């Protein structure tokens, strides 16, 4: 029992050493706390934690246009010293045309104490007088006297969790950069650092804000202009006085992360400018914006059913709809399994994108020659089945489910939904770009909700039509009864499926060499022989199928000979080249495309390959730049992300005179594009 009370007493002693009672004034509550006990000759972090009343605020080390920074006067035992205060990242506090920097909520100012005393065991009495200026519409100076008896122990013992306090501090960051002053403008150029997290922030500087550590140098109320570069960005800041020596500042990004940087005077890095102002940072997410994004995704899913690339796969459902009127329960069940397959696949695609990051990009599945080779064979096999050249089970969709589907049409329907999404998802509808961008930027439950809405929109027409046919007798009565016409319809619907297989083969041709394309064509012939050979020995059929898969695998590893050919004279995409051309005063039109993007190909045929567009390029001196995203390209992925997009197409116009970039719509007309160029 004695040991128990001794333990309790020791615990209470440590707690009292961790922090003294908070001190309350008219507008402020403050306390002095320690992270650990201190060892002889050791160091410990203290925090002056304070909370002003609601509506009131305190100030940062550079208070901005008005105000005063907190000041601490220490009374310490002999041999004990304290560092300067370390401040968390501040808030911007505009008021009546002025801009101040400070804190409106709970804040902790850090200081490091070094124990150089002769004390080996016992308590160090620490005293701190802290002078605050606390403001609302009026400002009140307040002085707080804080005390803390800090225990000295042979081994450091934890007292207070400082993880939240440290999370509010800016991260010290070393980055290549320099600043130059011209007139009353200081231009600060910064190159993205090697740290991956910081590099992501540097690639998306929209909404970033710079807090200069030294007051009176930069005008706090002036606009901070940001220009994006191929490998960094620049700030243009209005000065209030001469700048000498290193320029130190804290930069807070839209992500919420902040970094403390230092730059010397010198030549601005060319790679930190030249791409114009970055897109504005996305507003803070709220329920209304999530619901709006879900609505856009739902409409985009509906429109996706009308995209050309999905027609062949949806044709697989037409016969199922024809049968639904005569077997209502089975039709409804299969339509629900089809919808389930759609939802599962969209959720998996969204999860992969959220997990692996936006650098992967929407439509990434068709950037892999392995996927396009497999889809070429799969679509060919479906077409052969629909043509009646071979049978697996009795259902049209049975190939998607393999032999499992002979006795389980529900599994077949589910896998048909999977196939429909894999083939159709890259054909982004115009409504989908914004919604998918929000989903990838937010991640988590927001991303899941948006992709779920997208899947519901895509699956709804088939499911709703099936239920309409089966539950409305008048509609079901008009459905023709099963008969020979179904075989004829089946053969007719095989034609678009052959077209889909050819399209996928063409996409594959853009991703590999000529030898790779020849190998996949050979694999298609072997697969056809294995599935159909009417008079050949049955034992050879599986041999041909295995050979087809092996040859297709060999085809997928072949590297492309050359980039995709573009009919119009152009330059290859390069952010460095964009910056160079803009420095020369030349307008630039950027077209990011991919072989598997149907919207891209329609725009290229109807707009970019027209005589009017060519003449507009010539008369305006516009440089036409094309980026091919058929295969994964990190530079293009980053540029897409910087412009708030997750996939192609993306069209960006840079006008003369360093005008801000203009992002064009996804569906273009020649008239509108020519108007933009000539304007």
């Amino acid at each position: 029992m004695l040991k128990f009370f001794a333990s309790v007493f020791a615990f209470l002693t440590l707690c009292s050493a961790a922090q003294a009672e908070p001190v309350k004034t008219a507008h402020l509550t403050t306390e002095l706390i320690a992270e650990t006990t201190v060892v002889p000759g050791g160091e410990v972090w203290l925090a002056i934690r304070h909370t002003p009343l609601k509506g009131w605020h305190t100030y940062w080390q550079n208070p901005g246009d008005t105000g005063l920074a907190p000041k601490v006067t220490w009374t310490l035992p002999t041999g004990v010293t304290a560092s300067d205060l370390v401040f968390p990242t501040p808030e911007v506090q505009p008021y009546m045309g002025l801009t101040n920097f400070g804190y409106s909520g709970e804040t902790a100012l850090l200081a490091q104490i070094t124990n150089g005393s002769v004390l080996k065991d016992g308590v160090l009495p620490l005293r701190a007088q802290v002078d605050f200026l606390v403001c609302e519409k009026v400002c009140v100076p307040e002085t707080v006297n804080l005390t803390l008896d800090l225990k000295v122990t042979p081994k450091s013992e934890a007292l207070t969790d400082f993880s939240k306090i440290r999370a509010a501090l800016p991260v010290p960051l070393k980055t290549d950069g320099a600043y130059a002053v011209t007139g009353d403008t200081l231009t600060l150029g910064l190159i993205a650092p090697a740290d991956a997290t910081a590099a992501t922030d540097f690639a998306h500087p929209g909404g970033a804000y710079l807090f200069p550590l030294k007051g009176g140098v930069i005008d706090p109320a002036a606009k901070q202009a940001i220009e994006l570069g191929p490998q960094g960005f620049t700030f243009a800041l209005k000065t209030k006085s001469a700048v000498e020596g290193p320029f130190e500042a804290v930069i807070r990004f839209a992500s919420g992360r902040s970094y403390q940087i230092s730059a010397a005077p010198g030549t601005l890095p060319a790679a930190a400018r030249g791409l114009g102002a970055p897109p504005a940072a996305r507003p803070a997410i709220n329920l209304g914006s999530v619901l709006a994004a879900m609505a856009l995704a739902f409409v985009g899913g509906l429109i996706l059913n009308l995209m050309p690339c999905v027609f062949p796969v949806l044709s697989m459902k037409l016969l199922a709809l024809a049968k639904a009127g005569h077997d209502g329960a089975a039709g409804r069940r299969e339509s629900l399994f089809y919808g389930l397959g759609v939802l599962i696949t969209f959720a998996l695609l969204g999860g992969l994108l959220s997990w692996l990051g936006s650098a992967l990009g929407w439509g990434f599945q068709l950037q892999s020659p392995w996927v396009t080779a497999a889809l070429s064979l799969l679509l060919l096999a479906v077409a052969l089945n629909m043509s009646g050249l071979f049978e697996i089970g009795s259902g049209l969709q049975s190939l998607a489910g393999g032999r499992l589907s002979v006795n389980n049409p529900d599994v077949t329907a589910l896998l048909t939904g999977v196939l429909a999404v894999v083939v159709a998802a890259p054909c982004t509808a115009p409504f989908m770009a914004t919604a998918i961008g929000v989903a990838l930027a937010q991640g988590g439950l927001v991303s899941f909700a948006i992709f779920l809405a997208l899947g519901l929109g895509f699956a709804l027409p088939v499911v709703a039509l099936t239920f309409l046919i089966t539950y409305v007798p008048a509609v079901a009565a008009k459905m023709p009864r099963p008969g020979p016409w179904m075989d004829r319809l089946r053969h007719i619907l095989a034609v678009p499926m052959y077209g889909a297989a050819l399209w996928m083969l063409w996409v594959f041709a853009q991703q590999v060499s000529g030898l790779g394309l020849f190998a996949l064509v050979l694999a298609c012939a072997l697969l056809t022989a294995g599935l159909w050979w009417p008079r050949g020995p049955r034992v050879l059929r599986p041999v041909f199928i295995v050979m087809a898969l092996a040859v297709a695998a060999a085809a997928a590893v072949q590297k492309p000979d050359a980039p995709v050919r573009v009919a119009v004279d152009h330059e290859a995409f390069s952010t460095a080249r964009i910056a160079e051309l803009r420095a020369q005063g030349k307008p630039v039109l950027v077209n990011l495309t991919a072989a598997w993007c149907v919207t891209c190909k329609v725009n290229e045929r109807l707009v970019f390959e027209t005589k009017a567009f060519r003449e507009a390029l010539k008369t305006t001196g516009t440089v036409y730049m094309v980026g091919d995203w058929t295969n994964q390209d990190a530079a293009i992925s980053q540029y897409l992300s910087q412009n708030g997009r997750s996939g192609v197409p993306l069209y960006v116009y840079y006008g003369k005179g360093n005008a801000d970039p203009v992002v064009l719509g996804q569906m273009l007309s020649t008239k509108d594009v020519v108007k933009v160029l000539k304007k």
Side-chain angles (χ1 to χ4, degrees):
M1 183 64 71
L2 183 61
K3 288 184 178 180
F4 171 75
F5 283 113
S7 299
V8 172
F9 177 76
F11 174 75
L12 293 175
T13 301
L14 286 178
C15 289
S16 65
Q19 61 186 64
E21 285 294 322
V23 177
K24 293 187 177 182
T25 65
H27 308 98
L28 197 70
T29 300
T30 311
E31 58 187 336
L32 182 63
I33 58 176
E35 183 176 24
T36 63
T37 62
V38 65
V39 299
E43 298 173 336
V44 62
W45 282 99
L46 304 183
I48 300 170
R49 186 162 61 189
H50 60 281
T51 307
L53 292 180
K54 185 176 181 180
W56 293 73
H57 61 267
T58 58
Y59 290 94
W60 187 48
Q61 62 191 94
N62 170 12
D65 278 324
T66 61
L68 290 173
K71 178 184 176 183
V72 60
T73 303
W74 295 97
T75 302
L76 304 171
T78 303
V80 178
T81 58
S83 69
D84 293 335
L85 290 178
V86 178
F87 289 76
T89 303
E91 307 164 359
V92 179
Q93 298 171 333
Y95 180 71
M96 300 290 290
L98 302 175
T99 299
N100 301 322
F101 306 139
Y103 312 100
S104 58
E106 180 183 293
T107 307
L109 311 178
L110 287 172
Q112 190 175 57
I113 298 296
T114 301
N115 178 20
S117 70
V118 296
L119 190 65
K120 303 297 182 183
D121 190 13
V123 173
L124 292 175
L126 309 180
R127 306 291 180 264
Q129 176 184 304
V130 189
D131 296 309
F132 291 100
L133 184 64
V134 190
C135 297
E136 193 224 17
K137 291 183 174 134
V138 297
C139 291
V140 179
E142 297 202 347
T143 298
V144 180
N145 292 297
L146 304 174
T147 63
L148 176 66
D149 292 332
L150 181 63
K151 189 172 179 61
V152 180
T153 56
K155 184 179 179 181
S156 179
E157 300 174 12
L159 296 175
T160 309
D161 183 5
F162 270 32
S163 58
K164 182 178 178 182
I165 294 174
R166 285 200 168 85
L169 300 176
V171 177
L173 188 67
K174 288 185 177 181
T175 174
D176 293 333
Y179 75 88
V181 179
T182 304
D184 64 349
T185 301
L186 181 149
T187 306
L188 171 67
L190 299 171
I191 298 297
D195 178 78
T197 301
T200 300
D201 288 326
F202 272 58
H204 301 83
Y209 194 90
L210 182 143
F211 301 91
L213 262 61
K214 185 177 180 181
V217 176
I218 301 299
D219 184 354
K223 178 183 177 182
Q224 298 185 356
I226 301 176
E227 183 176 9
L228 192 62
Q231 298 176 28
F233 67 98
T234 62
F235 273 109
L237 310 165
K238 184 179 179 182
T239 60
K240 292 181 68 174
S241 63
V243 185
E244 298 178 356
F247 179 74
E248 297 179 309
V250 169
I251 302 175
R252 185 197 62 212
F253 288 86
S255 64
R257 291 181 288 267
S258 58
Y259 306 91
Q260 184 168 327
I261 59 93
S262 177
T267 303
L268 296 176
R273 59 196 312 187
L275 298 183
R282 294 187 184 277
I285 197 72
N286 54 49
L287 180 60
S289 57
V290 172
L291 293 176
M294 291 179 66
L296 286 173
F298 180 79
V299 174
L302 292 174
I303 294 176
L304 191 57
N305 285 281
L306 304 178
M307 300 301 285
C309 51
V310 77
F311 286 167
V313 179
L314 289 183
S315 70
M316 299 170 64
K317 298 301 299 175
L318 291 181
L319 286 178
L321 288 174
K323 295 176 182 178
H326 308 284
D327 190 353
R332 290 191 295 271
R333 189 175 61 252
E334 289 184 31
S335 72
L336 291 176
F337 272 95
Y338 166 80
L340 180 61
V342 168
L343 294 179
I344 290 174
T345 310
F346 268 119
L348 289 176
L349 288 176
L352 279 173
L353 287 169
S354 298
W355 178 41
L356 298 176
S358 58
L360 198 61
W362 184 246
F364 68 92
Q365 65 271 26
L366 294 189
Q367 290 181 323
S368 168
W370 290 90
V371 174
T372 53
L375 287 175
S376 298
L377 296 179
L378 179 59
L379 292 171
L380 174 62
V382 172
L384 292 171
N385 177 259
M386 294 174 73
S387 298
L389 300 181
F390 82 101
E391 296 289 341
I392 301 179
S394 58
L396 172 64
Q397 307 161 42
S398 59
L399 186 66
R403 297 206 173 266
L404 182 61
S405 65
V406 174
N407 299 316
N408 197 337
D410 296 338
V411 174
T412 298
L414 185 143
L415 294 178
T416 302
V418 173
L419 177 62
V421 174
V422 171
V423 174
C427 298
T428 52
F431 287 100
M432 291 169 61
T434 301
I436 292 174
V438 172
L440 298 183
Q442 298 300 325
L445 291 177
V446 173
S447 177
F448 177 78
I450 292 173
F451 278 105
L452 182 64
L454 180 59
L456 286 172
F458 185 61
L460 181 63
V462 170
V463 176
L465 192 55
T466 303
F467 273 72
L468 178 67
I469 291 172
T470 57
Y471 274 121
V472 180
V475 176
K478 293 183 179 180
M479 296 296 295
R481 296 189 176 278
W485 70 270
M486 297 188 71
D487 285 334
R488 291 194 294 272
L489 177 61
R490 177 180 173 183
H491 296 160
I492 292 172
L493 294 179
V495 175
M497 194 60 67
Y498 282 116
L502 285 174
W503 170 61
M504 200 59 63
L505 197 65
W506 179 79
V507 172
F508 181 81
Q510 318 307 312
Q511 299 172 322
V512 298
S513 64
L515 177 61
L517 176 60
F518 173 79
L520 186 59
V521 172
L522 177 60
C524 290
L526 290 170
L527 180 67
T528 303
L531 293 176
W532 175 50
W533 197 4
R535 296 183 180 180
R538 295 181 61 87
V539 70
L540 290 181
R541 291 189 175 185
V543 174
F544 279 121
I545 294 175
V546 171
M547 289 175 61
L549 297 176
V551 173
V557 300
Q558 302 300 314
K559 300 299 181 183
D561 293 326
V564 177
R565 186 186 68 84
V566 179
V568 183
D569 291 339
H570 69 283
E571 291 194 20
F573 172 79
S574 165
T575 52
R577 180 59 175 157
I578 295 173
E580 180 183 339
L581 291 168
R582 297 196 74 209
Q584 298 171 8
K586 295 182 179 180
V588 182
L589 176 64
V590 176
N591 170 14
L592 297 188
T593 182
W596 38 261
C597 171
V598 174
T599 305
C600 304
K601 295 307 168 186
V602 170
N603 287 332
E604 287 167 17
R605 179 57 59 88
L606 299 182
V607 178
F608 298 129
E609 295 180 6
T610 63
K611 182 179 179 181
F613 175 72
R614 296 172 192 261
E615 290 179 349
L617 289 178
K618 184 177 181 180
T619 57
T620 60
T622 302
V623 177
Y624 182 46
M625 187 173 289
V626 179
D628 178 24
W629 206 47
T630 301
N631 297 313
Q632 185 61 240
D633 185 300
I636 293 179
S637 298
Q638 177 171 302
Y639 186 79
L640 287 167
S641 179
Q642 288 173 337
N643 284 278
R645 293 289 178 83
S646 57
V648 291
L650 173 66
Y651 309 110
V652 183
Y653 174 69
Y654 297 90
K656 294 181 179 179
N658 288 325
D660 287 342
V662 177
V663 178
L664 308 183
Q666 289 186 301
M667 302 298 293
L668 302 176
S669 71
T670 304
K671 179 181 177 181
D672 290 340
V673 173
V674 169
K675 183 178 179 180
V676 168
L677 296 182
K678 291 185 175 180
K679 183 179 179 180

